[in-house]
Amino acid sequence: MNVTELVAHFEQAFGRQPAFVARAPGRVNLIGEHTDYNDGFVLPMAIDRDVTIVGAPRDDRVVRLRSANFGDEAGFALERIEKAHDGAWSNYARGVAHVLQQAGFALRGFDGVIYGEVPIGSGLSSSAAIEMATLMAFTAAGADGSAPLALAGAQAARLAQRAENEFVGVNCGIMDQFISSLGKAGHALFIDCRSLAYELTPMPRGVTVLVVDTSAPRSLAASAYNERRAQCEQAARTLGAPALRDVSVETFEQRRSELPDLIARRAAHVIYENQRVLDAVAALRANDVAMFGRLMNQSHDSLRDWYEVSSKELDAVVEIARGVPGVYGARMTGAGFGGCAIALVDDAQAGALAQAIACDYPRRTGREPKVYACVASDGASWSTL
Ligand code: ADP
Ligand code: MG
């Protein structure tokens, strides 16, 4: 649904004209997996798929949101924000309103139609997109009829993360909201997950990031995630470091025999992966796409062999992709055990790659993939209509 259609939807639902459109993108992480909770580095880009809210301020302190995806409506009063039932989509909007007010922002109510093109639950972070889009809508609606809120960038991202952590109850890191807020067309965003320092880095021209959703369930993901976190903490403790971020490749190689074999393999992934992110940023600066692709490949192999969070579906996508001419590299992305894999491919070969996946992946796995060709896009924004 485009903005014109959403405007029509709003007029039909609320019997008046909308005043603003707010939007925020999903994201994909190019490299730097399982590094965030080790205080390390990540390199995501915002994708050209948004959650969009078309809205108009209200004269009272009520928020009414109609979902164009699900066809239902949610409403809540800003005076008393309560959580809806577990899993309700409105909890993301309620959570954002809650943390904004806690942070001292005087919010105004609004009516809105909300529509998302970020696939839900695929690992492209539709949750960060809905949080940042709602936050932008509150910004646009303004404070009690006065000027729009002064709220953007890293501060906005941290508030959105708090909404997901504290209100929705999902213990996510900062990457998703950060890139959804701060992304820029044609750029990836290098983030230091400890200091939250960040830097936009131009993406190479002429290449497409093809995202493949494996359509495989992520049933093992939660327990494995907690186990990996504990193993990383154990490794850091043994090496006397605050986090694995503080262990260089050289130090690790000198001291790895102090770690039990399994713990050493987990640590090896994280420590080398952090270095790969730094190398990947250098490769982007040097416009060295081939190097960037090799680092993606190494990242996947490490996640598969050392960190052991890949799956036969993710491996199948990666193997198929690597066999297609014009592909620089391919890897799983996200926590693993399902979700998405990505490939970096020459624009001219993106169609052939999509074709190869559509043909070979079901044959190898018995599942139907979903394929999204993505370009690096702008972070959250709003404008008047
Ligand atoms: P993801 O990997 O996509 O972030 P999550 O489980 O973290 O998966 O978040 C998905 C949830 O976010 C959905 O179940 C829904 O509650 C909310 N959500 C995402 N997109 C939309 C949308 N377009 N409209 C309403 N809610 C949405
Ligand atoms: Mg999410």
Side-chain angles (χ1 to χ4, degrees):
M1 233 183 266
N2 60 30
V3 172
T4 310
E5 289 164 321
L6 285 174
V7 167
H9 196 129
F10 182 97
E11 288 168 353
Q12 201 188 18
F14 296 104
R16 61 189 181 123
Q17 294 204 330
F20 63 80
V21 55
R23 53 157 289 279
R27 64 95 185 95
V28 67
N29 191 24
L30 297 171
I31 194 163
E33 219 62 75
H34 288 280
T35 47
D36 57 344
Y37 53 82
N38 290 292
D39 275 3
F41 309 121
V42 292
L43 187 68
M45 70 174 208
I47 60 174
D48 46 334
R49 288 175 168 264
D50 288 338
V51 169
T52 304
I53 299 176
V54 161
R58 291 171 60 99
D59 293 328
D60 56 13
R61 302 194 69 233
V62 166
V63 175
R64 281 169 71 202
L65 281 172
R66 181 169 286 259
S67 163
N69 294 98
F70 304 128
D72 61 345
E73 191 179 301
F76 57 93
L78 290 167
E79 302 305 336
R80 236 174 82 93
I81 302 175
E82 286 174 353
K83 206 173 157 179
H85 66 86
D86 266 349
W89 60 266
S90 71
N91 282 336
Y92 294 89
R94 292 168 197 260
V96 166
H98 177 74
V99 298
L100 290 183
Q101 293 193 133
Q102 258 191 348
F105 290 98
L107 301 183
R108 187 172 178 186
F110 69 91
D111 291 330
V113 170
I114 180 162
Y115 175 68
E117 285 180 336
V118 185
I120 291 175
S122 296
L124 299 177
S125 205
S126 66
S127 57
I130 188 175
E131 287 150 18
M132 286 304 307
T134 315
L135 191 146
M136 284 292 115
F138 278 114
T139 303
D144 294 327
S146 63
L149 304 183
L151 185 55
Q155 186 200 12
R158 296 182 75 162
L159 289 166
Q161 181 204 12
R162 244 173 68 197
E164 184 152 347
N165 291 166
E166 292 170 18
F167 194 92
V168 181
V170 176
N171 187 22
C172 58
I174 187 64
M175 171 171 74
D176 300 353
Q177 293 80 9
F178 234 68
I179 180 63
S180 183
S181 182
L182 287 156
K184 188 175 168 203
H187 291 71
L189 187 71
F190 171 64
I191 307 170
D192 178 334
C193 295
R194 172 177 280 165
S195 67
L196 296 189
Y198 58 90
E199 190 184 327
L200 287 163
T201 317
M203 288 288 287
R205 289 178 191 283
V207 292
T208 297
V209 175
L210 203 84
V211 179
V212 181
D213 183 348
T214 58
S215 310
R218 288 191 284 181
S219 42
L220 275 170
S223 61
Y225 180 85
N226 292 332
E227 187 190 71
R228 296 301 183 281
R229 276 189 88 136
Q231 290 167 335
C232 291
E233 282 163 23
Q234 184 187 338
R237 236 184 352 260
T238 308
L239 296 174
L244 286 180
R245 146 72 178 277
D246 301 294
V247 182
S248 68
V249 166
E250 293 72 28
T251 305
F252 174 69
E253 289 304 341
Q254 279 161 16
R255 299 187 55 190
R256 78 184 283 165
S257 61
E258 294 170 36
L259 299 170
D261 182 57
L262 181 68
I263 303 302
R265 284 158 14 126
R266 303 297 190 243
H269 166 71
V270 172
I271 290 163
Y272 280 90
E273 183 79 352
N274 272 328
Q275 185 58 47
R276 275 190 289 273
V277 178
L278 298 175
D279 294 345
V281 172
L284 287 186
R285 289 201 188 106
N287 202 24
D288 188 345
V289 195
M291 173 58 80
F292 195 91
R294 279 198 294 280
L295 292 163
M296 289 174 72
N297 287 340
Q298 288 167 15
S299 170
H300 182 82
D301 296 353
S302 173
L303 288 157
R304 182 190 61 207
D305 300 337
W306 302 124
Y307 219 61
E308 296 181 280
V309 293
S310 189
S311 65
K312 72 174 194 317
E313 289 87 357
L314 290 164
D315 291 344
V317 173
V318 164
E319 282 163 28
I320 295 164
R322 288 180 187 173
V324 174
V327 172
Y328 293 99
R331 60 181 288 273
M332 55 161 275
T333 183
F337 295 107
C340 295
I342 56 172
L344 190 68
V345 58
D346 267 328
D347 285 346
Q349 300 301 321
L353 173 58
Q355 191 69 47
I357 300 283
C359 175
D360 294 349
Y361 180 78
R363 215 165 30 76
R364 287 181 56 159
T365 64
R367 298 182 191 278
E368 286 301 322
K370 293 183 208 73
V371 177
Y372 311 102
C374 295
V375 296
S377 300
D378 282 330
S381 62
W382 66 272
S383 55
T384 50
L385 279 170

